[in-house]
Amino acid sequence: MTKWYMLSGNENDVAVSSKVSLARNLRDHVFTNRLSTEEKDKIADEVSAVIFEELPEKFVLTHMNTLSRYAAISLAERDLVSPEFVSVQEGRSFLTTPDESLSLMICEEDHVKIQALLPGLELTRSYELADRLDTILDEALGFSFDTKLGYLTQCPTNIGTAMRGSVVLQLPAMRILGRIRHLSNTVSRLGLVLSGAYGEGDSPIGSLYLLTNQVTLGISEEAALGNLDALAKSIIEQEREARKELMENLSFQDMLWRSYGTLKSARVMSFQEFMEALSVVKVGIAAGEFDLPMNTVNELIFSLQPATLNTEAGEDLSRQERDALRAEKVRAIFAGT
């Protein structure tokens, strides 16, 4: 089955993925932190029954306590669930489509978190997919809603739309040129947040940054996503200009070809080493130095993570075995370039 992250998306030389999530609580139940495991399982039954009736054969239900530790962590690596959701598996379930573009976390912080994930910059389409599920569940089960406050959530900072939109951006050029801190401050003044997608601070693994909306109260979903989309497009253009600047720099050209050599020849490669080299080589791919589809490269970000490799192998690989398998898969992709 082709997964969403294997496909091409708009602006995917910089934008890796777009995600819209909607936090919802059923009005006939107390918040999740006061539910027993049996009550959480009941909510999972209620939600899945509606989904299966309205969208037959579209979703698969999985109870987290049936998964191995590696399989559960792999879900978080692929952004299907949050790391917190994986930390406690009892009483938690999730529904997902085979391509993993749509999923529902059941009984994390709130009763339901609807999520839509698509490659590239696709916020509007992601919202449409999530909103359809939102409507189906609300009409059948009823969500906790206040006419003044909006959707009621366990965490007060989410009330209002209870929507989070986000775009994962790969910004190696702006990071190398030291422009991330200024960009982050600018984004903050506009009511959004730019943070490391993997790792904190100005130097996250692979130069991957998460741009997300912060305000959920007093603004519509459409307005919030419009602001996010406009800012994402501005950052994408800034990154492209920075890449052009770097490609004229001899030191960066040396870094680029050394990184390319690592990806093409290494026999053992940690995830961090792979991500750092890939972020640099993507600049060369975008500039036409290497002939590789951008969606093929972006897919590796998700498929070569540690727990995902273990899950695919069906065994508990040692770190060196895992790093050797990752290097083998990367060499196969770069062999023809």
Side-chain angles (χ1 to χ4, degrees), residues 216-236:
T216 59
L217 187 62
I219 187 172
S220 69
E221 291 96 336
E222 292 79 6
L225 290 177
N227 293 340
L228 181 59
D229 184 71
L231 187 54
K233 288 176 178 175
S234 174
I235 294 173
I236 288 168

Side-chain angles (χ1 to χ4, degrees), residues 25-188:
N25 288 285
L26 307 186
R27 60 173 171 241
D28 294 331
H29 296 270
V30 298
F31 283 138
T32 301
N33 64 345
R34 296 175 57 194
L35 292 174
S36 65
T37 298
E38 292 74 18
E39 289 170 323
K40 292 177 182 178
D41 290 340
K42 181 181 178 182
I43 288 177
D45 291 340
E46 291 180 20
V47 171
S48 59
V50 172
I51 294 296
F52 292 151
E53 180 179 351
E54 296 293 329
L55 300 168
E57 301 181 3
K58 298 289 186 181
F59 285 80
V60 176
L61 174 66
T62 302
H63 297 289
M64 291 298 291
N65 60 7
T66 66
L67 297 179
S68 69
R69 188 66 180 159
Y70 280 122
I73 294 173
S74 175
L75 295 176
E77 289 178 345
R78 304 198 309 276
D79 211 16
L80 276 175
V81 301
S82 66
E84 198 284 328
F85 191 73
V86 172
S87 66
V88 178
Q89 292 180 231
E90 282 297 323
R92 292 179 171 176
S93 308
F94 78 98
L95 287 150
T96 186
T97 53
D99 70 352
E100 300 180 355
S101 63
L102 273 172
S103 61
L104 298 92
M105 283 190 288
I106 303 176
C107 291
E108 186 205 25
E109 183 176 60
D110 296 292
H111 296 155
V112 181
K113 181 171 281 186
I114 301 166
Q115 303 177 121
L117 267 165
L118 291 175
L121 185 59
E122 294 279 5
L123 287 168
T124 299
R125 179 59 180 153
S126 296
Y127 174 71
E128 290 171 351
L129 292 172
D131 186 55
R132 182 189 178 203
L133 287 184
D134 183 40
T135 300
I136 288 172
L137 290 172
D138 194 17
E139 290 178 349
L141 300 174
F143 292 137
S144 297
F145 184 84
D146 182 88
T147 54
K148 291 183 179 180
L149 297 176
Y151 291 99
L152 303 180
T153 57
Q154 186 166 297
C155 180
T157 60
N158 290 329
I159 61 173
T161 62
M163 183 202 73
R164 297 289 179 185
S166 61
V167 183
V168 174
L169 301 166
Q170 197 151 30
L171 308 174
M174 295 188 73
R175 173 182 166 187
I176 291 170
L177 293 172
R179 298 174 184 173
I180 294 297
R181 186 177 296 275
H182 175 72
L183 176 62
S184 180
N185 291 337
T186 300
V187 166
S188 179

Side-chain angles (χ1 to χ4, degrees), residues 165-302:
S166 61
V167 183
V168 174
L169 301 166
Q170 197 151 30
L171 308 174
M174 295 188 73
R175 173 182 166 187
I176 291 170
L177 293 172
R179 298 174 184 173
I180 294 297
R181 186 177 296 275
H182 175 72
L183 176 62
S184 180
N185 291 337
T186 300
V187 166
S188 179
R189 288 196 295 270
L190 295 173
L192 290 93
V193 176
L194 185 71
S195 58
Y198 298 106
E200 295 301 321
D202 296 335
S203 301
I205 295 174
S207 300
L208 283 176
Y209 294 87
L210 186 69
L211 180 69
T212 185
N213 68 296
Q214 189 172 27
V215 179
T216 59
L217 187 62
I219 187 172
S220 69
E221 291 96 336
E222 292 79 6
L225 290 177
N227 293 340
L228 181 59
D229 184 71
L231 187 54
K233 288 176 178 175
S234 174
I235 294 173
I236 288 168
E237 289 307 314
Q238 291 178 60
E239 170 66 16
R240 287 172 177 163
E241 290 301 314
R243 291 178 182 187
K244 290 177 184 177
E245 186 177 335
L246 276 183
M247 287 300 295
E248 297 176 358
N249 182 288
L250 183 61
S251 294
F252 176 76
Q253 291 175 22
D254 182 66
M255 180 191 299
L256 172 63
W257 284 95
R258 286 174 184 270
S259 297
Y260 172 73
T262 296
L263 295 175
K264 193 168 184 176
S265 304
R267 263 47 187 175
V268 178
M269 191 182 306
S270 70
F271 180 66
Q272 181 165 353
E273 182 184 15
F274 158 70
M275 288 291 291
E276 295 300 338
L278 186 72
S279 69
V280 173
V281 169
K282 278 185 71 175
V283 177
I285 294 173
E289 292 286 340
F290 313 116
D291 185 19
L292 267 177
M294 201 62 74
N295 60 301
T296 299
V297 176
N298 286 340
E299 175 194 345
L300 299 177
I301 296 171
F302 299 93

Side-chain angles (χ1 to χ4, degrees), residues 318-331:
S318 68
R319 175 174 293 185
Q320 186 173 50
E321 289 172 331
R322 192 170 59 234
D323 290 351
L325 177 60
R326 180 182 295 110
E328 178 184 337
K329 288 178 175 292
V330 172
R331 289 199 310 275

